[in-house]
Amino acid sequence: MVKFRIGIVCFLIFLLFDCYNATVSKSKNEKKSAKKSSQRSNSRLNNKLTSVNVDFQSILDEYKSYSFTASLVRHFEYDVLGYVTPWNNHGYNIAKLYAAKFSMVSPVWLQIKPKNEKGGFMFQGLQDIDRDWVASVKLLNPYVRFVPRIILEHWTYPTLKKFLTEKIADLTTELVLLSKDNQFDGYVFEIWGLLGGKMKAELTQFIITMSKELRKHNLILILVIPPPTHFGEEGTMFHRQDFDKLSKHVTAFSLMTYDFSNPERPGPNSPVPWLRHCVEALVPESYSTDRQKLLLGLNFYGYVYWKFGGKPIVGHEYLSILKQHKPKFEFDDFNGEHSFTYRTEENGFEKEYEVYYPTLYSIKLRIELARELRTGIAIWETGQGLNYFYDLL
């Protein structure tokens, strides 16, 4: 268990009490999303709430609650990265309320798009940067590192190849300036999965060079990677050999171990055996310290499926279903996930839906797995989950 020193804890208690009793103005991203939460007197979630037996009423009664004491103490000993998106503003509040739980926070603000056919580039999303919020979270947790996610969009293969091979110096210069202006500690790069396994040589050298340049300025680089296996078949985009080439240069790998199922093949979001296999496929040796560079992806969103269709759902949609349909939960022992079904009548016909969404118990299983495998955790994303999920971290 990771604990802050008494002085820091007292400082955090004062600041959190101050912030959440409306004596400090909210940042631009929080004003739209302020929601009243209730405190629990106990410092940890009780056994009933974290048991395999889940009922809809206990979720509706407790989902907003949080333990003030537990919010100041981190129970998970490896890295915890939390993604925060502008389109789910509640994540901004979560990052403050549970600041002590995170070692890294990644606001999803930035895109790199082509400027011309010669590999030139431009940043978009700069207007979403919220310096006041960054400063407030760092005040609550001086040890947290801010690593905005950067994704490449609208590139063609010829133009992208020029960017990867000819514009690395220009890019790193821009990244260093951005970090100095906005208190960033590095970046999360989402690029590998976008290329479908192509241009590996150019991409590998690009990442190595960029990481070396960023390190000169004490900036870290985290690489988002697709799962190495899916439905029992080895993937083609990222293998152990790719990990071995990059592991000495990249600070961490954000492993996208979610979206296992889809509307064409409904089922659990992130089966526990699959999570284990993904980690072991990249770092087979249980004793290897390289495992700590893997951030096991946890989804804080769910899916609802129906015949010939489906879609993702976030917290408020899930709660609305619980309130309206009062479903009975079932638990899949093999995959480690809860689900339920409900029915509606539409145009005179009955329609059945199946819902998968994280529960305290399913999250607890995945945290225990990460602890056993000695990996970190990457949460996608903080604005989609329920408040009491974070007491487990």
Side-chain angles (χ1 to χ4, degrees):
M1 184 187 301
V2 179
K3 295 185 177 180
F4 288 93
R5 289 175 293 183
I6 294 176
I8 295 176
V9 170
C10 293
F11 181 60
L12 287 171
I13 289 174
F14 169 76
L15 286 173
L16 279 169
F17 180 83
D18 200 35
C19 290
Y20 278 88
N21 283 278
T23 58
V24 174
S25 61
K26 294 179 173 61
S27 74
K28 63 181 180 182
N29 289 305
E30 294 172 283
K31 292 177 182 178
K32 298 178 182 178
S33 64
K35 295 181 180 179
K36 185 176 181 180
S37 300
S38 58
Q39 290 187 33
R40 285 193 313 278
S41 57
N42 56 314
S43 62
R44 297 294 297 274
L45 293 164
N46 61 50
N47 291 332
K48 182 179 178 181
L49 290 176
T50 57
S51 76
V52 68
N53 300 313
V54 175
D55 67 90
F56 75 92
Q57 194 59 55
S58 66
I59 295 173
L60 294 176
D61 289 343
E62 297 288 344
Y63 77 91
K64 282 187 179 181
S65 67
Y66 69 96
S67 166
F68 185 79
T69 305
S71 71
L72 300 174
V73 180
R74 190 168 150 208
H75 307 289
F76 185 69
E77 55 269 42
Y78 302 110
D79 277 326
V80 176
L81 168 66
Y83 288 99
V84 179
T85 63
W87 54 88
N88 283 310
N89 286 334
H90 186 51
Y92 289 93
N93 289 327
I94 289 294
K96 289 177 68 174
L97 180 59
Y98 291 99
K101 301 287 188 177
F102 299 105
S103 54
M104 294 175 284
V105 173
S106 182
V108 181
W109 286 332
L110 304 175
Q111 309 93 46
I112 296 179
K113 298 184 178 181
K115 189 175 183 180
N116 53 49
E117 295 180 354
K118 298 179 180 180
F121 63 93
M122 57 184 176
F123 283 95
Q124 289 196 357
L126 298 173
Q127 73 282 354
D128 288 325
I129 295 175
D130 189 339
R131 296 177 182 176
D132 292 339
W133 172 70
V134 171
S136 66
V137 176
K138 286 196 169 192
L139 190 62
L140 293 166
N141 179 1
Y143 303 104
V144 71
R145 292 183 286 185
F146 267 81
V147 284
R149 190 204 69 171
I150 297 176
I151 191 168
L152 274 69
E153 294 181 342
H154 304 157
W155 291 83
T156 63
Y157 282 116
T159 306
L160 182 58
K161 187 171 183 178
K162 292 179 181 178
F163 168 75
L164 295 177
T165 57
E166 300 175 13
K167 300 297 180 180
I168 183 65
D170 295 339
L171 175 63
T172 53
T173 298
E174 293 279 353
L175 293 175
V176 170
L177 291 174
L178 264 178
S179 67
K180 290 179 178 179
D181 290 342
N182 298 286
Q183 296 190 65
F184 297 158
D185 302 284
Y187 298 91
V188 174
F189 247 79
E190 185 169 351
I191 183 174
W192 197 279
L194 304 177
L195 295 176
K198 298 180 179 179
M199 292 196 287
K200 277 193 176 184
E202 294 88 347
L203 188 52
T204 298
Q205 190 56 52
F206 169 82
I207 292 167
I208 290 173
T209 303
M210 180 168 56
S211 180
K212 287 180 178 179
E213 292 302 312
L214 291 176
R215 283 187 177 183
K216 292 178 183 178
H217 302 274
N218 296 316
L219 298 173
I220 66 174
L221 178 65
I222 298 169
L223 181 65
V224 178
I225 57 173
T229 178
H230 204 72
F231 283 116
E233 300 177 0
E234 295 304 312
T236 60
M237 288 196 288
F238 196 87
H239 299 129
R240 181 184 177 186
Q241 295 90 332
D242 301 312
F243 179 88
D244 290 341
K245 290 177 182 178
L246 294 169
S247 60
K248 294 180 181 179
H249 306 281
V250 175
T251 303
F253 298 82
S254 183
L255 183 56
M256 299 174 70
T257 41
Y258 30 73
D259 291 345
F260 180 81
S261 303
N262 54 59
E264 287 74 38
R265 197 168 182 174
N269 292 317
S270 59
V272 168
W274 177 59
L275 299 180
R276 178 186 294 277
H277 185 59
C278 285
V279 171
E280 292 176 345
L282 294 175
V283 189
E285 302 83 8
S286 61
Y287 56 84
S288 174
T289 56
D290 279 346
R291 280 198 178 178
Q292 295 179 32
K293 290 197 168 193
L294 291 175
L295 306 177
L296 193 67
L298 299 188
N299 57 290
F300 274 18
Y301 61 93
Y303 268 91
V304 56
Y305 298 108
W306 57 87
K307 190 175 182 180
F308 308 126
K311 68 171 186 175
I313 57 170
V314 297
H316 69 90
E317 296 170 306
Y318 171 70
L319 295 170
S320 178
I321 293 172
L322 296 186
K323 292 174 184 176
Q324 184 175 354
H325 298 283
K326 301 176 174 56
K328 183 178 180 180
F329 285 79
E330 295 181 354
F331 184 71
D332 180 343
D333 286 300
F334 180 76
N335 291 309
E337 290 195 27
H338 285 97
S339 65
F340 62 81
T341 59
Y342 69 94
R343 294 175 175 83
T344 62
E345 190 167 316
E346 301 175 18
N347 301 319
F349 295 94
E350 188 176 74
K351 189 172 183 179
E352 183 175 273
Y353 298 85
E354 186 174 24
V355 175
Y356 290 84
Y357 187 87
T359 61
L360 286 171
Y361 185 74
S362 71
I363 294 172
K364 183 175 77 168
L365 290 180
R366 283 149 182 79
I367 292 174
E368 290 173 352
L369 177 66
R371 183 175 283 118
E372 175 196 339
L373 297 174
R374 296 186 299 114
T375 72
I377 288 171
I379 298 169
W380 185 273
E381 47 93 354
T382 56
Q384 297 175 338
L386 306 180
N387 281 17
Y388 66 175
F389 286 174
Y390 298 91
D391 280 359
L392 295 170
L393 295 174

Short mmCIF file of all heavy atoms in Angstrom, two decimals, residues 76-109:
data_model
loop_
_atom_site.label_atom_id
_atom_site.label_comp_id
_atom_site.label_asym_id
_atom_site.label_seq_id
_atom_site.Cartn_x
_atom_site.Cartn_y
_atom_site.Cartn_z
N PHE A 76 -3.10 0.53 -4.68
CA PHE A 76 -2.46 -0.24 -5.76
C PHE A 76 -1.04 0.26 -5.93
O PHE A 76 -0.79 1.46 -6.10
CB PHE A 76 -3.25 -0.07 -7.06
CG PHE A 76 -2.74 -0.90 -8.19
CD1 PHE A 76 -2.87 -2.28 -8.17
CD2 PHE A 76 -2.11 -0.30 -9.28
CE1 PHE A 76 -2.39 -3.06 -9.22
CE2 PHE A 76 -1.63 -1.07 -10.34
CZ PHE A 76 -1.76 -2.45 -10.30
N GLU A 77 -0.08 -0.67 -5.89
CA GLU A 77 1.32 -0.28 -5.77
C GLU A 77 2.03 0.04 -7.08
O GLU A 77 3.15 0.56 -7.07
CB GLU A 77 2.11 -1.37 -5.03
CG GLU A 77 2.00 -2.75 -5.63
CD GLU A 77 0.84 -3.57 -5.05
OE1 GLU A 77 -0.25 -3.01 -4.85
OE2 GLU A 77 1.06 -4.77 -4.83
N TYR A 78 1.40 -0.27 -8.22
CA TYR A 78 2.02 0.02 -9.51
C TYR A 78 1.36 1.24 -10.16
O TYR A 78 0.43 1.82 -9.61
CB TYR A 78 1.94 -1.21 -10.42
CG TYR A 78 2.60 -2.43 -9.82
CD1 TYR A 78 1.85 -3.52 -9.37
CD2 TYR A 78 3.98 -2.48 -9.66
CE1 TYR A 78 2.45 -4.64 -8.80
CE2 TYR A 78 4.59 -3.60 -9.09
CZ TYR A 78 3.82 -4.67 -8.66
OH TYR A 78 4.43 -5.76 -8.09
N ASP A 79 1.84 1.61 -11.33
CA ASP A 79 1.35 2.83 -11.98
C ASP A 79 -0.14 2.75 -12.30
O ASP A 79 -0.65 1.70 -12.71
CB ASP A 79 2.12 3.10 -13.27
CG ASP A 79 3.43 3.81 -13.03
OD1 ASP A 79 3.50 4.64 -12.11
OD2 ASP A 79 4.41 3.53 -13.77
N VAL A 80 -0.82 3.88 -12.13
CA VAL A 80 -2.22 4.02 -12.53
C VAL A 80 -2.32 5.25 -13.44
O VAL A 80 -2.04 6.37 -13.02
CB VAL A 80 -3.16 4.19 -11.32
CG1 VAL A 80 -4.59 4.43 -11.80
CG2 VAL A 80 -3.10 2.97 -10.41
N LEU A 81 -2.71 5.01 -14.69
CA LEU A 81 -2.91 6.07 -15.66
C LEU A 81 -4.41 6.24 -15.88
O LEU A 81 -5.12 5.27 -16.14
CB LEU A 81 -2.24 5.71 -16.99
CG LEU A 81 -2.58 6.55 -18.22
CD1 LEU A 81 -2.07 7.97 -18.05
CD2 LEU A 81 -2.01 5.93 -19.49
N GLY A 82 -4.89 7.47 -15.77
CA GLY A 82 -6.30 7.75 -16.02
C GLY A 82 -6.46 8.67 -17.21
O GLY A 82 -5.89 9.77 -17.24
N TYR A 83 -7.21 8.22 -18.21
CA TYR A 83 -7.52 9.07 -19.35
C TYR A 83 -8.71 9.97 -19.02
O TYR A 83 -9.67 9.53 -18.38
CB TYR A 83 -7.86 8.23 -20.58
CG TYR A 83 -6.67 7.52 -21.20
CD1 TYR A 83 -6.42 6.17 -20.92
CD2 TYR A 83 -5.80 8.19 -22.04
CE1 TYR A 83 -5.33 5.52 -21.49
CE2 TYR A 83 -4.71 7.54 -22.62
CZ TYR A 83 -4.48 6.21 -22.33
OH TYR A 83 -3.40 5.57 -22.89
N VAL A 84 -8.64 11.22 -19.46
CA VAL A 84 -9.71 12.20 -19.23
C VAL A 84 -10.07 12.80 -20.59
O VAL A 84 -9.19 13.28 -21.31
CB VAL A 84 -9.27 13.32 -18.27
CG1 VAL A 84 -10.38 14.33 -18.07
CG2 VAL A 84 -8.85 12.72 -16.93
N THR A 85 -11.35 12.77 -20.95
CA THR A 85 -11.77 13.28 -22.25
C THR A 85 -12.66 14.51 -22.10
O THR A 85 -13.45 14.61 -21.16
CB THR A 85 -12.56 12.21 -23.04
OG1 THR A 85 -13.77 11.90 -22.34
CG2 THR A 85 -11.73 10.95 -23.22
N PRO A 86 -12.54 15.47 -23.03
CA PRO A 86 -13.39 16.67 -22.98
C PRO A 86 -14.87 16.37 -23.13
O PRO A 86 -15.71 17.15 -22.69
CB PRO A 86 -12.87 17.52 -24.15
CG PRO A 86 -11.51 17.01 -24.46
CD PRO A 86 -11.56 15.54 -24.12
N TRP A 87 -15.21 15.25 -23.77
CA TRP A 87 -16.63 14.95 -24.00
C TRP A 87 -17.29 14.23 -22.83
O TRP A 87 -18.50 14.00 -22.85
CB TRP A 87 -16.81 14.15 -25.30
CG TRP A 87 -15.99 12.90 -25.39
CD1 TRP A 87 -16.33 11.66 -24.95
CD2 TRP A 87 -14.70 12.77 -25.99
NE1 TRP A 87 -15.34 10.77 -25.22
CE2 TRP A 87 -14.32 11.41 -25.87
CE3 TRP A 87 -13.83 13.66 -26.63
CZ2 TRP A 87 -13.10 10.92 -26.34
CZ3 TRP A 87 -12.62 13.17 -27.08
CH2 TRP A 87 -12.27 11.83 -26.95
N ASN A 88 -16.52 13.84 -21.82
CA ASN A 88 -17.08 13.31 -20.57
C ASN A 88 -16.46 14.10 -19.42
O ASN A 88 -15.51 13.66 -18.77
CB ASN A 88 -16.79 11.81 -20.42
CG ASN A 88 -17.69 10.97 -21.28
OD1 ASN A 88 -18.91 11.13 -21.27
ND2 ASN A 88 -17.11 10.07 -22.06
N ASN A 89 -17.01 15.27 -19.19
CA ASN A 89 -16.38 16.24 -18.30
C ASN A 89 -16.27 15.80 -16.85
O ASN A 89 -15.50 16.37 -16.08
CB ASN A 89 -17.12 17.58 -18.37
CG ASN A 89 -16.85 18.32 -19.67
OD1 ASN A 89 -15.81 18.12 -20.28
ND2 ASN A 89 -17.77 19.15 -20.10
N HIS A 90 -17.05 14.81 -16.46
CA HIS A 90 -16.96 14.35 -15.07
C HIS A 90 -15.56 13.84 -14.74
O HIS A 90 -15.15 13.84 -13.58
CB HIS A 90 -18.01 13.26 -14.82
CG HIS A 90 -18.09 12.82 -13.40
ND1 HIS A 90 -18.23 13.70 -12.34
CD2 HIS A 90 -18.05 11.57 -12.85
CE1 HIS A 90 -18.27 13.02 -11.20
NE2 HIS A 90 -18.16 11.73 -11.49
N GLY A 91 -14.84 13.43 -15.77
CA GLY A 91 -13.47 12.96 -15.54
C GLY A 91 -12.56 14.01 -14.95
O GLY A 91 -11.62 13.70 -14.22
N TYR A 92 -12.81 15.28 -15.28
CA TYR A 92 -12.01 16.36 -14.70
C TYR A 92 -12.19 16.41 -13.18
O TYR A 92 -11.24 16.64 -12.43
CB TYR A 92 -12.42 17.70 -15.32
CG TYR A 92 -11.99 17.88 -16.75
CD1 TYR A 92 -12.84 17.54 -17.80
CD2 TYR A 92 -10.74 18.38 -17.07
CE1 TYR A 92 -12.45 17.70 -19.12
CE2 TYR A 92 -10.34 18.55 -18.38
CZ TYR A 92 -11.20 18.20 -19.41
OH TYR A 92 -10.81 18.36 -20.72
N ASN A 93 -13.42 16.21 -12.73
CA ASN A 93 -13.66 16.19 -11.29
C ASN A 93 -13.06 14.96 -10.62
O ASN A 93 -12.53 15.04 -9.51
CB ASN A 93 -15.18 16.22 -11.02
CG ASN A 93 -15.79 17.57 -11.35
OD1 ASN A 93 -15.16 18.60 -11.21
ND2 ASN A 93 -17.03 17.55 -11.83
N ILE A 94 -13.16 13.81 -11.30
CA ILE A 94 -12.59 12.58 -10.75
C ILE A 94 -11.08 12.73 -10.54
O ILE A 94 -10.53 12.30 -9.53
CB ILE A 94 -12.89 11.39 -11.68
CG1 ILE A 94 -14.38 11.03 -11.64
CG2 ILE A 94 -12.02 10.18 -11.32
CD1 ILE A 94 -14.85 10.49 -10.31
N ALA A 95 -10.40 13.35 -11.50
CA ALA A 95 -8.95 13.51 -11.39
C ALA A 95 -8.57 14.35 -10.17
O ALA A 95 -7.49 14.17 -9.59
CB ALA A 95 -8.39 14.15 -12.66
N LYS A 96 -9.44 15.28 -9.79
CA LYS A 96 -9.17 16.08 -8.59
C LYS A 96 -9.56 15.33 -7.32
O LYS A 96 -8.79 15.27 -6.37
CB LYS A 96 -9.94 17.40 -8.68
CG LYS A 96 -9.39 18.36 -9.73
CD LYS A 96 -10.22 19.63 -9.83
CE LYS A 96 -10.11 20.49 -8.59
NZ LYS A 96 -10.81 21.79 -8.75
N LEU A 97 -10.76 14.76 -7.32
CA LEU A 97 -11.24 14.09 -6.12
C LEU A 97 -10.36 12.91 -5.74
O LEU A 97 -10.10 12.66 -4.57
CB LEU A 97 -12.68 13.61 -6.34
CG LEU A 97 -13.37 12.87 -5.20
CD1 LEU A 97 -13.41 13.73 -3.95
CD2 LEU A 97 -14.78 12.45 -5.60
N TYR A 98 -9.87 12.18 -6.75
CA TYR A 98 -9.03 11.01 -6.50
C TYR A 98 -7.60 11.25 -6.98
O TYR A 98 -6.94 10.33 -7.46
CB TYR A 98 -9.63 9.79 -7.20
CG TYR A 98 -10.92 9.32 -6.59
CD1 TYR A 98 -12.14 9.67 -7.15
CD2 TYR A 98 -10.93 8.55 -5.42
CE1 TYR A 98 -13.34 9.25 -6.58
CE2 TYR A 98 -12.12 8.13 -4.85
CZ TYR A 98 -13.32 8.48 -5.44
OH TYR A 98 -14.50 8.06 -4.87
N ALA A 99 -7.12 12.45 -6.85
CA ALA A 99 -5.78 12.79 -7.34
C ALA A 99 -4.71 11.87 -6.78
O ALA A 99 -3.76 11.50 -7.47
CB ALA A 99 -5.46 14.25 -6.99
N ALA A 100 -4.86 11.47 -5.53
CA ALA A 100 -3.85 10.63 -4.88
C ALA A 100 -3.79 9.23 -5.48
O ALA A 100 -2.80 8.51 -5.30
CB ALA A 100 -4.13 10.52 -3.39
N LYS A 101 -4.82 8.82 -6.21
CA LYS A 101 -4.87 7.46 -6.77
C LYS A 101 -4.05 7.33 -8.05
O LYS A 101 -3.69 6.22 -8.43
CB LYS A 101 -6.33 7.10 -7.09
CG LYS A 101 -7.28 7.14 -5.91
CD LYS A 101 -7.07 6.00 -4.96
CE LYS A 101 -8.14 5.95 -3.90
NZ LYS A 101 -7.98 4.80 -3.00
N PHE A 102 -3.81 8.45 -8.73
CA PHE A 102 -3.19 8.39 -10.05
C PHE A 102 -1.70 8.72 -9.99
O PHE A 102 -1.29 9.67 -9.33
CB PHE A 102 -3.86 9.38 -10.99
CG PHE A 102 -5.33 9.11 -11.22
CD1 PHE A 102 -6.30 9.90 -10.62
CD2 PHE A 102 -5.73 8.05 -12.01
CE1 PHE A 102 -7.64 9.65 -10.82
CE2 PHE A 102 -7.07 7.78 -12.20
CZ PHE A 102 -8.04 8.58 -11.60
N SER A 103 -0.91 7.94 -10.71
CA SER A 103 0.49 8.32 -10.91
C SER A 103 0.64 9.12 -12.20
O SER A 103 1.58 9.89 -12.34
CB SER A 103 1.39 7.08 -10.95
OG SER A 103 0.92 6.14 -11.90
N MET A 104 -0.32 8.92 -13.14
CA MET A 104 -0.31 9.66 -14.40
C MET A 104 -1.74 9.97 -14.83
O MET A 104 -2.63 9.14 -14.65
CB MET A 104 0.39 8.84 -15.50
CG MET A 104 1.87 8.62 -15.24
SD MET A 104 2.64 7.53 -16.50
CE MET A 104 2.03 5.92 -15.96
N VAL A 105 -1.93 11.15 -15.39
CA VAL A 105 -3.23 11.56 -15.94
C VAL A 105 -3.00 11.97 -17.39
O VAL A 105 -2.09 12.74 -17.69
CB VAL A 105 -3.84 12.72 -15.14
CG1 VAL A 105 -5.09 13.25 -15.82
CG2 VAL A 105 -4.17 12.27 -13.71
N SER A 106 -3.86 11.46 -18.27
CA SER A 106 -3.70 11.74 -19.70
C SER A 106 -4.96 12.39 -20.26
O SER A 106 -5.91 11.69 -20.64
CB SER A 106 -3.40 10.45 -20.47
OG SER A 106 -3.21 10.73 -21.85
N PRO A 107 -5.00 13.71 -20.31
CA PRO A 107 -6.12 14.38 -20.96
C PRO A 107 -6.08 14.17 -22.47
O PRO A 107 -5.01 14.30 -23.08
CB PRO A 107 -5.93 15.85 -20.58
CG PRO A 107 -4.48 15.98 -20.25
CD PRO A 107 -4.03 14.66 -19.74
N VAL A 108 -7.22 13.84 -23.04
CA VAL A 108 -7.28 13.51 -24.48
C VAL A 108 -7.59 14.80 -25.23
O VAL A 108 -8.73 15.07 -25.62
CB VAL A 108 -8.34 12.43 -24.73
CG1 VAL A 108 -8.42 12.07 -26.21
CG2 VAL A 108 -8.01 11.18 -23.91
N TRP A 109 -6.57 15.61 -25.43
CA TRP A 109 -6.73 16.94 -26.00
C TRP A 109 -6.21 17.10 -27.42
O TRP A 109 -6.78 17.84 -28.21
CB TRP A 109 -6.00 17.97 -25.12
CG TRP A 109 -6.66 18.28 -23.82
CD1 TRP A 109 -7.99 18.20 -23.54
CD2 TRP A 109 -6.02 18.72 -22.63
NE1 TRP A 109 -8.23 18.57 -22.24
CE2 TRP A 109 -7.03 18.90 -21.65
CE3 TRP A 109 -4.71 18.99 -22.28
CZ2 TRP A 109 -6.76 19.33 -20.35
CZ3 TRP A 109 -4.43 19.42 -20.99
CH2 TRP A 109 -5.45 19.58 -20.04
#
